[in-house]
Amino acid sequence: MTGIEPEREEAAFPQLTKAQFARLSSFGTPETVEAGEVLYGPGDPTYDLIVIEDATVEIVQPATRDAPEESLVQFGPGAFLGELNLLTGQAVYLIARVVEDGRVHRIAPERFRRLMAEDPELSDILLEAFQARREILTHNGASRGLEIIGSAMDPASLALRTYAARRRLPHLWFDADSVAGHSLLKAASLTSDDLPAALLPDQALKRATPGELAETLGLTYRGDSGGSVDLAVVGAGPAGLAAAVYAASEGLNTVLLDGVGPGGQAAASSRIENYLGFPSGISGGELAERAETQALKFGARLSTPCEVVAINCDEHLNAVLDDGTEIPTRALMIATGARYRSLPLERWDELVGAGIFYAATELEARTCAGDPVTVIGGGNGAGQAALFLASCGCDVTVAIRRPEIESGMSQYLVDRLLASPKITVLGGTEVTRIEGEDVLESISLAGPAGETEQACRGLFCFIGAEPATGWLSGVALDEDGFVRTDVQLATDELGEIWSALGRGPLPFETSVPGVFAVGDVRHGSMKRVAAAVGEGASAVRSVHTAIGVHA
Ligand SMILES: Cc1cc2nc3c(=O)[nH]c(=O)nc-3n(C[C@H](O)[C@H](O)[C@H](O)COP(=O)(O)OP(=O)(O)OC[C@H]3O[C@@H](n4cnc5c(N)ncnc54)[C@H](O)[C@@H]3O)c2cc1C
């Protein structure tokens, strides 16, 4: 395996000491294996962590439409198999085949979870190895196991690629208009009507959606966990991820559900500079990845895309999913944050993803690198986006409705924006028209000097967000739709159920007992990553009190 720095390669294939090997294998069941035997293979919903005593096992990328089977790596005595999908629950996509007879130790999923909880030293080694192996697999042949083919400026293709990126799925992207894209379309007997398509070794998903892909890969909610969970967290932005990390690490059986993928609004940020402990900043995507791994390590189960459409509290508390599945839970945490605002312009919805974007990460920037783009909004998100796009070679116009840029943005960003030769800031300016056939081509801006039309390949919209509470009923909201909690609740918002309970709402508890709200969705919240994380973590204490389990 190559294509990655030597330190990551080392982390991917650690040398265990004798004592570590003995501890690791003690969690498993010994088994004799023979050359040619397949220990696990594509499509298996789950697999065991396998520790090798004295056999040799190779990891093989199955044949795809455009390439034959390929051996990726061999593991010998003292090594262990497995990668990140042992934690994420993604179905097996590689083959583990025995090359030389010998003995191995199989650690079943529930024993694996115990190991991760009980042995911090081994847990750190395994976690590091799984992450490094996923990085390596993303850079080598394993990416061929999932090929996404579509059109670069097609919103449905962007949604699929965004999902694959957010869930860190090893995959290859093919633009259908490229030579490689054409030949793959032919090899898979697909037409342009089938796009976007997700090609797996044994099947092709035509007009694929993130939901279908997730279902096929085993990343949606699996009702096989049986019975009630302790906590269902709705929304995997910073607040929900923090709640899942703290709840799972304190022993609560926790599920984390998100309608899109982990990261929330933070995943749309190319660089967060005000999060404690990261003096040179961290991309929202990386912060979310780290938090996701941490939550999974402690045993939380993440399902995406998995939209919650209602809370049913007729008899017991249930999170209701969009396919009608109900997840019984002892407590529920609303961490659904906010959804981006749009402009009331003709053709806006058609061009979202085809030149209009609500995020400025590598993925969006690649579609318009070097071209003229416009960022609308006067907050920190807009400032970060403008700097990032300028660093990608774009000529950036920042259009702000207010006359002065200083009133809504941190001074450090204002200074950098004004100093950049690639950025033009226009105060008192609004977008009045958008033009383009299939993709955005130009926009009209109206400002103090009148109305002008200018070329624009990317319109990045950072004009704030509205609370994602349209799905909630029966929970007290403020006049703008944000969820009220604890001391914010008026006496007339608390029904008889509270008198029967004999207590008032706990910190972060809503008007419905056992239902909590944290982060941007909560009335009066600070609308920052650190604040959302703090709320998610703190609310877990109230969950313990409400369900009578003490950490
Ligand atoms: C571009 C940008 C840059 C930013 N930069 C910074 C910064 O530098 N520093 C800073 O402190 N803050 C920054 N912010 C603000 C920060 O990202 C938010 O305050 C923070 O993400 C809020 O976290 P949250 O978990 O409450 O909600 P969100 O991040 O909004 O996450 C909510 C999640 O809930 C999911 N969801 C919604 N409805 C449902 C449903 N019905 N079912 C299932 N899932 C659902 C969504 O898909 C989403 O993933 C930025 C925001 C943006 C947009």
Side-chain angles (χ1 to χ4, degrees):
M1 290 190 178
T2 50
I4 196 153
E5 298 109 49
E7 310 87 69
R8 298 305 286 151
E9 189 107 29
E10 221 168 275
F13 307 107
Q15 295 284 323
L16 299 180
T17 64
K18 270 194 178 157
Q20 287 166 342
F21 181 83
R23 282 207 322 272
L24 183 58
S25 44
S26 73
F27 280 88
T29 314
E31 184 178 293
T32 305
V33 293
E34 287 178 13
E37 193 177 330
V38 171
L39 301 179
Y40 52 78
D44 291 354
T46 174
Y47 65 111
D48 297 335
L49 170 65
I50 292 175
V51 188
I52 304 176
E53 195 176 308
D54 58 5
T56 304
V57 180
E58 67 173 344
I59 300 297
V60 177
Q61 160 67 48
T64 59
R65 283 162 198 79
D66 45 359
E69 184 177 286
E70 181 189 350
S71 176
L72 298 176
V73 66
Q74 286 206 353
F75 289 97
F80 57 87
L81 311 185
E83 65 99 40
L84 206 59
N85 60 350
L86 269 172
L87 290 170
T88 63
Q90 181 185 344
V92 176
Y93 57 95
L94 298 170
I95 304 166
R97 192 185 287 139
V98 181
V99 177
E100 280 173 32
D101 302 357
R103 241 163 83 97
V104 301
H105 300 261
R106 277 183 179 274
I107 304 177
E110 56 290 1
R111 296 281 297 165
F112 168 64
R113 276 193 288 278
R114 244 185 84 187
L115 152 70
M116 294 300 277
E118 287 177 9
D119 195 320
E121 189 194 14
L122 286 178
S123 148
D124 282 352
I125 294 171
L126 292 173
L127 202 62
E128 196 59 30
F130 293 163
Q131 293 195 92
R133 286 177 187 180
R134 177 59 68 98
E135 284 165 35
I136 293 170
L137 289 167
T138 305
H139 287 93
N140 73 7
S143 296
R144 282 192 289 107
L146 169 61
E147 295 171 319
I148 299 177
I149 178 160
S151 171
M153 278 297 203
D154 167 40
S157 301
L158 182 68
L160 208 55
R161 295 174 72 193
T162 302
Y163 179 72
R166 283 217 196 163
R167 296 285 341 231
R168 291 183 270 172
L169 304 176
H171 69 282
L172 287 181
W173 156 249
F174 291 85
D175 187 334
D177 293 329
S178 68
V179 176
H182 270 298
S183 55
L184 185 60
L185 268 183
K186 221 169 138 199
S189 308
L190 295 173
T191 70
S192 54
D193 285 345
D194 300 322
L195 301 179
L199 306 178
L200 297 134
D202 55 346
Q203 59 180 315
L205 304 178
K206 297 175 184 175
R207 291 184 165 269
T209 61
E212 283 161 344
L213 180 60
E215 183 83 44
T216 311
L217 299 178
L219 290 169
T220 43
Y221 179 74
R222 293 185 195 167
D224 56 10
S225 45
S228 178
V229 298
D230 292 325
L231 177 64
V233 182
V234 186
L241 284 164
V245 167
Y246 281 80
S249 70
E250 290 167 15
L252 297 182
N253 182 353
T254 305
V255 293
L256 177 58
L257 312 158
D258 197 289
V260 183
Q265 293 171 71
S269 171
S270 44
R271 199 154 122 122
I272 297 170
E273 286 192 70
N274 58 353
Y275 190 61
L276 189 76
F278 294 90
S280 358
I282 180 166
S283 79
E286 191 184 344
L287 187 66
E289 274 181 16
R290 286 169 181 244
E292 178 197 341
T293 307
Q294 208 171 2
L296 297 173
K297 165 187 148 169
F298 288 122
R301 279 164 294 141
L302 169 68
S303 298
T304 71
C306 203
E307 186 162 351
V308 177
V309 293
I311 300 174
N312 176 357
C313 37
D314 287 347
E315 277 184 40
H316 303 288
L317 207 51
N318 282 281
V320 185
L321 306 185
D322 53 355
D323 65 357
T325 306
E326 298 212 359
I327 305 176
T329 182
R330 300 173 74 195
L332 187 142
M333 185 105 58
I334 302 166
T336 47
R339 292 213 170 109
Y340 315 114
R341 277 203 191 104
S342 60
L343 290 181
L345 295 176
E346 224 173 285
R347 306 211 44 232
W348 182 275
D349 289 342
E350 282 165 58
L351 292 174
V352 168
I356 296 179
F357 304 106
Y358 294 105
T361 66
E362 291 285 346
L363 214 55
E364 293 79 17
R366 246 180 267 149
T367 65
C368 46
D371 292 328
V373 300
T374 298
V375 174
I376 43 176
N380 281 0
Q384 291 163 5
L387 288 170
F388 173 65
L389 292 161
S391 75
C392 298
C394 298
D395 284 314
V396 186
T397 303
V398 180
I400 305 170
R401 213 160 47 168
R402 281 188 295 258
E404 302 293 335
I405 185 176
E406 283 83 2
S407 50
M409 200 179 288
S410 298
Q411 194 58 43
Y412 77 96
L413 286 170
V414 174
D415 293 342
R416 286 187 214 166
L417 248 58
L418 297 179
S420 169
K422 300 283 286 177
I423 298 175
T424 309
V425 178
L426 301 177
T429 300
E430 290 185 47
V431 179
T432 50
R433 220 172 29 206
I434 50 178
E435 303 280 351
E437 280 284 310
D438 299 328
V439 299
L440 182 72
E441 286 160 18
S442 66
I443 60 170
S444 296
L445 291 172
E451 189 163 0
T452 50
E453 187 176 341
Q454 62 182 51
C456 180
R457 286 284 288 171
L459 182 61
F460 292 82
C461 185
F462 292 96
I463 54 171
E466 281 159 8
T469 48
W471 60 284
L472 279 174
S473 63
V475 173
L477 306 177
D478 71 10
E479 51 288 352
D480 295 317
F482 290 90
V483 183
R484 286 191 207 281
T485 59
D486 49 77
V487 293
Q488 299 163 347
L489 290 159
T491 321
D492 61 1
E493 286 172 315
L494 303 175
E496 281 170 16
I497 190 161
W498 289 97
S499 329
L501 266 179
R503 67 169 177 86
L506 296 159
F508 302 102
E509 200 164 23
T510 68
S511 60
V512 178
V515 176
F516 300 81
V518 289
D520 279 16
V521 77
R522 201 177 65 81
H523 171 83
S525 63
M526 196 195 160
K527 316 284 182 290
R528 290 283 184 277
V529 173
V533 165
E535 291 196 8
S538 311
V540 170
R541 180 164 182 185
S542 296
V543 171
H544 282 295
T545 308
I547 67 176
V549 178
H550 295 281

